[in-house]
Amino acid sequence: MRPITCFAFILLISAAAAGQEEYYPLKVGHVWTYKGDAKASKIVVRVASKEKVGDVECFKVVTEDWLGEDSEWLAVTKAGIQHHKSHVKKKSGKKLDEILEEEDTYTPPLTILKFPLKAGEAWDVKHTITAGDASIAVQWSYRIDQEEQVVVPTGRYKAFKVRQEYDFNGAVHTYWLAKD
């Protein structure tokens, strides 16, 4: 399985979409650029295309940073955002002189955001990750904390704090979702 890096970032978005999708707008051509830490000085996330994973229409979301590229296939449903597949191509090894390339599929898809967003909402997702001939059963736990004020260079925003934990390696991701 690919290693998961723990990091926190502010996801500030602006969209005219109706409903909860405005917190996570997926439209081909959308691009977000983030200032990262010392090593990952710039992180670019873009919605590259629409592609099917099995019978499900997904958005291919590509994240580029100093280590390489990570792609995710996400579907928007009435219940939330579901993650169907990942592909990673990153520098690895002690001297970052090797390339790690791997593709994972999630059965069932990983619900990464539940609609409607509601403070106090928590859920677990058990699924199997398949990479090549190998499979592993894992669990993700999610929690949406209360809305709070976040301050970033573009201004002050009221945002939901979302925490996700991965049981396989103890990784914790924290991010904030805000409407403009």
Side-chain angles (χ1 to χ4, degrees), residues 65-97:
D65 62 21
W66 72 286
L67 287 173
E69 186 175 285
D70 189 2
S71 299
E72 302 173 303
W73 283 259
L74 306 175
V76 180
T77 70
K78 289 180 182 180
I81 306 291
Q82 293 188 326
H83 188 174
H84 288 262
K85 180 172 94 170
S86 292
H87 181 266
V88 63
K89 186 173 182 179
K90 299 264 188 174
K91 295 177 189 175
S92 67
K94 290 181 181 178
K95 297 180 181 180
L96 296 177
D97 57 350

Side-chain angles (χ1 to χ4, degrees), residues 11-14 22-23 157-160 176-180:
L11 181 59
L12 297 174
I13 55 183
S14 166
E22 60 199 11
Y23 283 97
Y157 299 86
K158 190 172 182 180
F160 282 104
W176 289 260
L177 297 173
K179 291 190 277 186
D180 188 26

Side-chain angles (χ1 to χ4, degrees), residues 152-177:
V152 295
T154 59
R156 180 182 304 266
Y157 299 86
K158 190 172 182 180
F160 282 104
K161 181 178 179 180
V162 181
R163 178 182 167 92
Q164 88 189 140
E165 295 181 45
Y166 184 51
D167 75 343
F168 181 69
N169 64 1
V172 176
H173 295 181
T174 303
Y175 52 95
W176 289 260
L177 297 173

Side-chain angles (χ1 to χ4, degrees), residues 1-168:
M1 299 298 112
R2 67 185 164 119
I4 296 182
T5 305
C6 296
F7 67 96
F9 63 93
I10 303 292
L11 181 59
L12 297 174
I13 55 183
S14 166
Q20 295 292 299
E21 295 88 356
E22 60 199 11
Y23 283 97
Y24 209 113
L26 294 172
K27 181 178 178 185
V28 175
H30 279 181
V31 176
W32 300 271
T33 302
Y34 302 97
K35 182 179 179 183
D37 60 21
K39 286 186 178 179
S41 61
K42 183 178 175 183
I43 301 166
V44 177
V45 180
R46 63 186 165 82
V47 182
S49 60
K50 272 185 152 179
E51 299 177 13
K52 284 201 171 197
V53 175
D55 293 335
V56 179
E57 186 79 29
C58 294
F59 291 91
K60 181 180 178 186
V61 179
V62 179
T63 302
E64 298 173 26
D65 62 21
W66 72 286
L67 287 173
E69 186 175 285
D70 189 2
S71 299
E72 302 173 303
W73 283 259
L74 306 175
V76 180
T77 70
K78 289 180 182 180
I81 306 291
Q82 293 188 326
H83 188 174
H84 288 262
K85 180 172 94 170
S86 292
H87 181 266
V88 63
K89 186 173 182 179
K90 299 264 188 174
K91 295 177 189 175
S92 67
K94 290 181 181 178
K95 297 180 181 180
L96 296 177
D97 57 350
E98 301 170 27
I99 297 293
L100 166 71
E101 189 163 4
E102 181 175 297
E103 188 164 290
D104 301 334
T105 55
Y106 304 99
T107 308
L110 176 62
T111 300
I112 62 172
L113 194 59
K114 276 182 131 180
F115 296 150
L117 289 182
K118 189 168 89 173
E121 184 78 35
W123 66 98
D124 293 326
V125 179
K126 293 180 183 182
H127 65 276
T128 301
I129 298 175
T130 303
D133 294 335
S135 293
I136 186 167
V138 295
Q139 179 172 314
W140 283 91
S141 296
Y142 290 84
R143 185 179 73 234
I144 299 175
D145 289 338
Q146 67 186 25
E147 284 187 289
E148 57 186 54
Q149 289 289 320
V150 292
V151 179
V152 295
T154 59
R156 180 182 304 266
Y157 299 86
K158 190 172 182 180
F160 282 104
K161 181 178 179 180
V162 181
R163 178 182 167 92
Q164 88 189 140
E165 295 181 45
Y166 184 51
D167 75 343
F168 181 69

